[in-house]
Amino acid sequence: MEKKYIADLENLTPLIGREIIMDGTTIALFRLTDDSVKAIENRCPHKNGPLAEGTVSGTNVFCPLHDYKISLETGVVAAPDEGCVKTYETVIENGKIYLVTAL
Ligand code: FES
């Protein structure tokens, strides 16, 4: 496993998504109200909507284009819609957020 620094926690506004690009992959970052940080692929499985611009409610994000509800924990789209986005593990150490990647 490898950790890659991606952002400082203090620079993320709670419940407002941030797009980052890591090794050519576009990732949506979200700081939740408990200061945990979720990272998912920034591409809705429906029609590629930019999930970083979606509305966060609890541990879900609603796609800004057609309102698919996507879990920030599992990446799974809530029924009756279907699909899944990739999720990424994050760790926070001394206020710095890292993405955990497999080597
Ligand atoms: S592109 Fe996300 S719901 Fe349609």
Side-chain angles (χ1 to χ4, degrees):
M1 298 296 243
E2 185 187 357
K3 290 187 310 189
K4 290 191 175 171
Y5 167 77
I6 46 174
D8 288 345
L9 185 63
E10 66 179 9
N11 292 335
L12 286 187
T13 305
L15 306 184
I16 303 292
R18 160 90 65 87
E19 175 185 295
I20 62 161
I21 295 177
M22 174 69 69
D23 296 337
T25 302
T26 308
I27 294 171
L29 274 187
F30 299 93
R31 175 178 174 180
L32 303 185
T33 51
D34 64 358
D35 282 343
S36 64
V37 173
K38 303 298 180 191
I40 63 172
E41 186 181 359
N42 190 25
R43 205 163 60 113
C44 180
H46 180 219
K47 292 191 176 174
N48 300 332
L51 297 176
E53 296 173 22
T55 302
V56 177
S57 175
T59 56
N60 298 292
V61 62
F62 289 82
C63 178
L65 296 194
H66 315 98
D67 220 29
Y68 268 29
K69 179 182 178 184
I70 299 169
S71 168
L72 295 172
E73 309 268 11
T74 63
V76 174
V77 174
D81 302 311
E82 295 178 346
C84 187
V85 295
K86 188 164 184 193
T87 59
Y88 300 87
E89 185 182 347
T90 59
V91 292
I92 303 170
E93 291 173 358
N94 300 320
K96 300 201 175 300
I97 306 163
Y98 299 86
L99 210 63
V100 179
T101 59
L103 278 178

